[in-house]
Amino acid sequence: MKHAGTQPSADTPLLRQYQRIKAQHPDHILFFRCGDFYEMFFEDAKVAARVLGIALTRRGTDANGEPVPLAGVPYHSVEPYLAKMIRAGYKVAICEQMENPRFAKGVVKREVVRVVTPGTVVEENLLENKANNYLVGLVLEGERWGLAALDFSTGEFSITQFEGPSASATCQAEIARLQPAEVVLLAEERAAIELALNWQASQAELGLGAETGEPTREGAAEVATRTPEDRPAIAALEGSMPLARARELLVRHFGVHDLSGFGAEDCAAGVRAAALALEYVRETQRAQVAHLTQLRVYQPGEFMMLDATTQRSLELVANLTDASRRHTLLEVLDHTATAMGGRMLRAWLLKPLRSPERICERLDAVGVFVGRGVVRAQTLEALRAVHDLERILSRAVLKTANARDLVALRASLQQVPKLRALLREVLTEATLLQRLYEEMDPLEDLVSELVAALVDNPPVSVREGGLVRDGFDPKLDELRAIAGDSKSWIAAMRQAEIERTGIPNLKIGYNKVFGYYIEVSNSHLDKVPPTYIRKQTLVNGERFITPELKEKEEIILHAEERIQELEFEIFERLREKVCQQARQIQRTAAAVATLDVLVALAQAAVSGDYCRPQITPHGPDAELRILDGRHPVLESLDLGQPFVPNDTVLDHRENQILLITGPNMAGKSTYIRQVALITLLAHVGSYVPAREARIPIVDRIFTRVGAMDQIARGQSTFLVEMSETANILNNATDESLVILDEIGRGTSTYDGLSIAWAVVEYLHNTKGRRPLTLFATHYHELTDLEGILPRVKNYNVAVVEEEDRVAFLYKIVRGATDRSYGIYAAQVAGLPRAAIRRAKEILQSLEEGSGVHVKPAGGRSRAGEETLQLTFFDVLEHPVVERLRAVDINRMTPIEALALLAQLVAEVKNSRGSS
């Protein structure tokens, strides 16, 4: 982020050094280490004071004699301040002291060691434990997209690419799934990418200055508050990234001959995206990135596609109320004991598998822990002692890990033998468990050294001593002994020298001028050995020094300092050994995380009384059958009454589209969502909340539920509804599952009913786009479609009427209903009694066809009331229906169908106007 104006010049050596380094990082806030503080000067100080809420002071003057603005934060607690800066849309350059100030000649040497950006943070307090923090590299080659997803905090690095007419939509869905903290792209491609992903905006919307075109601080902060799928932080790199250079960067980093070992040779756009992300982190971190050890290539078809709308509607990982994980599917399933497992579970929910073999492999493993309660409990207990191995390793590579991190690593690896022992009991019951057993490496040598070297409760700082155990390093033990009892050491040396020289009255003393010295009286000067160096002559004797004594003097005087330095050297060697084991630690971490998720899913299955679903390939005979299915989130809540389960049968022979009618509040939306959630859970490899479930493989789950506008994009509720419906009609296939709730309710009755009718016909009749569909509606006229379209079936939510009350049974039964009980729902919601009475009068008049008596304002009598005859759309007798029946929908294109619809709507409106 560039700041307007130039920094004032200054004459002091410190400020000159600051300005030289700042000039190399004009787009960043420079955290400049000065002793115990990170200090900021000039414009950076003003920005920091405002964003962080800290004092703005002055230090010295610039070349013009003006006071220099100053703000600072303590280095030992910098993370909360970093978090605020990042969330406000700024990038921070960390400038450290590169030498000990005690020994510096002149200004302490300083260098920027890393740049903290939203996509490259590794600090524990800046990250959510159970969610990934992705940096996405993105390139666009014509209609082909390349995408790289890098979680720098864990070392996860994967690539893919998208081609074909729906490539942009598929890429956008993948970005929505990843919810990246930051996207890096080439500056020359930025405009095209933002346009294709609907990220385009005016200068004002992007927070750009009207004159300079550069981001303003206020604009950047506003942009940073938007949701990740709408506008992640964007880093645009200058230059180009040709394929040859991209391959060279990756080959050199991974130390391989070519990329064929990763399966990346046929993923050219993905390779370019990966190189872009790698170059960005190397440029910003100024350090080796040895924890990036693997590059995984995945194909979009490996996973069920879930766009942003589906993720929101089904409340998979964030609810619709406050975007937290409360009352979400993730919350219900998350019995994980580790942060790594929590992240993996979240990833599994957003990337359901499409391979029946891989799904069943997971189900087999979950089933083992469902049936082995003791093993499940013991495994969970061991997992609770495992820390976040992935992020500890990342901090070690970046040299930000402290001794507590290594102790946590040690404690975690000590659980691996226990986990392997538990897996050994069930190896033969699931192939996935056998693989996890093999991938877990106890790393005994590393653990043994960490046990021998580090104390159990080290301090946070790694430069102030107290890290290393006694007995680990003889030199350190000697220094500690000296620092602990220098008088005893002096006494021991004096006695040793008396015995060696035969001088009985030899003394060892100290003064500030000469330091430590040996004093010999005149009577024994003839016994002084030649190794003594004369330093001072006295009346009664002479004083000497020796190389050994001066060495010991240095040790004594600087023992504490040397202790701190030596402990830090030992710690750095240990940290480097951890980095050398990066690949093994990552494999072990991934295996432990997978085990954690499997145990968590088993725990959820046992707690919720879930069943194992039967997974079948998709095809003409595929059937989705759920017996006594339940909504996993709602049934977990204490709603004061038991959850009512329901059955579902969908197939391509007779039950492709289920039209579900019934009252408000009776459970239609709950029912259609639970079918989607059960289907998704089965693809995750989880047991499902049902008595029995047979689930075919689906490629996508589409949802269109609820009412939502996007004012910032100029889209009304109805336009959002139509956009989401269009996405479904254009992209659903025979292998999709579609969930539709109240299509067409956002506009007039005629328009809405016509659209809903056309949508059902399109999904039923369009070859290649005949998904299994659940369609909840209040348009009772649609139920006539069962007699017209052979694969449409009517279902409704059962109710019982008792006098003036309605009892909802929450049971889905065969057949249609022609009542919505909306007035009853309004009564329950608290509408005034007078309004409810009046609504009942109007409803009765309409049902009797006698028209509505309009009451004058303030009047109670019927005298003077006007009768307003309201006519409603009679589907079976209206002339528009005759026009529609004469149309062969199978021979029409979507554009022709929409044109006909517009024509019919216009005719209806004209006929109403002329009458």
Side-chain angles (χ1 to χ4, degrees), residues 387 402-411 414 447-462 464-473 476-477 480 563 567 570-571 574:
H387 299 266
N402 59 26
R404 292 186 179 182
D405 287 322
L406 299 197
V407 169
L409 176 72
R410 178 183 74 192
Q414 286 175 324
V447 170
S448 297
E449 187 162 6
L450 291 174
V451 168
L454 296 176
V455 298
D456 292 335
N457 296 296
V460 174
S461 173
V462 296
E464 297 176 6
L467 313 175
V468 181
R469 292 186 192 275
D470 291 336
F472 179 74
D473 184 274
L476 181 61
D477 291 342
R480 283 175 173 168
I563 286 171
E567 287 203 53
I570 293 171
F571 170 74
L574 293 172

Side-chain angles (χ1 to χ4, degrees), residues 564-714:
Q564 294 173 9
E565 292 175 352
L566 184 54
E567 287 203 53
F568 182 66
E569 291 171 7
I570 293 171
F571 170 74
E572 282 202 307
R573 289 199 298 270
L574 293 172
R575 190 162 61 185
E576 181 58 31
K577 289 185 178 180
V578 168
C579 296
Q580 292 169 1
Q581 302 290 335
R583 183 73 177 274
Q584 294 91 323
I585 292 173
Q586 285 178 330
R587 286 187 63 196
T588 299
V592 170
T594 304
L595 178 62
D596 193 12
V597 175
L598 296 172
V599 172
L601 293 178
Q603 187 65 43
V606 173
S607 302
D609 191 24
Y610 293 2
C611 76
R612 173 172 176 155
Q614 180 184 355
I615 306 299
T616 63
H618 207 292
D621 297 326
E623 177 186 63
L624 189 154
R625 176 181 292 271
I626 300 170
L627 303 183
D628 287 342
R630 312 183 306 274
H631 194 293
V633 179
L634 288 185
E635 76 164 348
S636 71
L637 305 178
D638 184 10
L639 300 178
Q641 59 185 8
F643 189 91
V644 177
N646 275 293
D647 299 343
T648 305
V649 176
L650 286 164
D651 58 56
H652 287 285
R653 299 182 303 277
E654 299 178 354
N655 302 282
Q656 179 207 338
I657 302 175
L658 305 188
L659 282 173
I660 304 159
T661 52
N664 289 306
M665 301 169 56
K668 298 193 304 296
S669 295
T670 296
Y671 170 68
I672 63 177
R673 281 180 169 93
Q674 79 186 33
V675 173
L677 290 174
I678 289 172
T679 301
L680 184 144
L681 281 175
H683 285 71
V684 166
S686 169
Y687 279 35
V688 300
R691 175 166 57 86
E692 182 180 324
R694 178 185 175 90
I695 308 295
I697 295 296
V698 304
D699 58 1
R700 293 183 66 165
I701 295 178
F702 289 93
T703 62
R704 160 80 290 274
V705 297
M708 183 187 309
D709 59 24
Q710 295 182 6
I711 298 300
R713 292 185 176 181

Side-chain angles (χ1 to χ4, degrees), residues 14 104 159 300 424 427 437 579 599 619 670 703 765 830 856:
L14 179 72
I159 63 172
R424 198 177 298 118
L427 282 184
Y437 176 85
C579 296
V599 172
T670 296
T703 62
N765 296 334

Side-chain angles (χ1 to χ4, degrees), residues 156-215:
E156 178 188 338
F157 199 4
S158 56
I159 63 172
T160 190
Q161 63 184 32
F162 311 98
E163 300 181 72
S166 62
S168 293
T170 307
C171 183
Q172 194 165 28
E174 181 67 0
I175 292 172
R177 181 188 67 78
L178 294 168
Q179 296 185 7
E182 189 171 11
V183 172
V184 58
L185 40 79
L186 292 170
E188 63 185 23
E189 295 178 357
R190 177 169 182 166
I193 288 175
E194 290 191 331
L195 180 65
L197 297 180
N198 299 321
W199 289 347
Q200 73 277 13
S202 66
Q203 281 198 329
E205 288 175 314
L206 279 175
L208 302 182
E211 297 180 0
T212 64
E214 296 293 343

Side-chain angles (χ1 to χ4, degrees), residues 645-647 660 666-668 671 795-798 810-814:
N646 275 293
D647 299 343
I660 304 159
K668 298 193 304 296
Y671 170 68
Y795 284 80
N796 73 92
V797 187
Y810 304 104
K811 200 70 178 176
I812 305 297
V813 297
R814 187 76 170 84

Side-chain angles (χ1 to χ4, degrees), residues 121-124 127-133 151-155 339-340 343 388-396 400-401 405:
V121 295
V122 295
E123 286 75 10
E124 190 172 8
L127 295 166
E128 184 180 342
N129 283 341
K130 290 192 172 184
N132 288 98
N133 190 70
D151 186 340
F152 194 63
S153 70
T154 67
M340 302 177 297
R343 289 194 296 271
D388 199 334
L389 292 171
E390 293 173 329
R391 286 182 171 167
I392 290 173
L393 176 62
S394 297
R395 293 196 292 273
T400 62
D405 287 322

Side-chain angles (χ1 to χ4, degrees), residues 502-514:
I503 303 173
N505 61 351
L506 180 147
K507 298 177 182 178
I508 297 181
Y510 173 83
N511 67 35
K512 293 183 178 180
V513 177
F514 298 112

Side-chain angles (χ1 to χ4, degrees), residues 713-746:
R713 292 185 176 181
Q715 295 182 355
S716 66
T717 299
F718 183 63
L719 184 56
V720 171
E721 176 186 336
M722 289 298 97
S723 295
E724 293 176 358
T725 304
N727 176 49
I728 294 172
L729 298 188
N730 289 323
N731 294 295
T733 71
D734 291 355
E735 298 185 14
S736 303
L737 174 65
V738 171
I739 305 299
L740 296 171
D741 193 7
E742 303 298 350
I743 292 293
R745 297 289 286 183

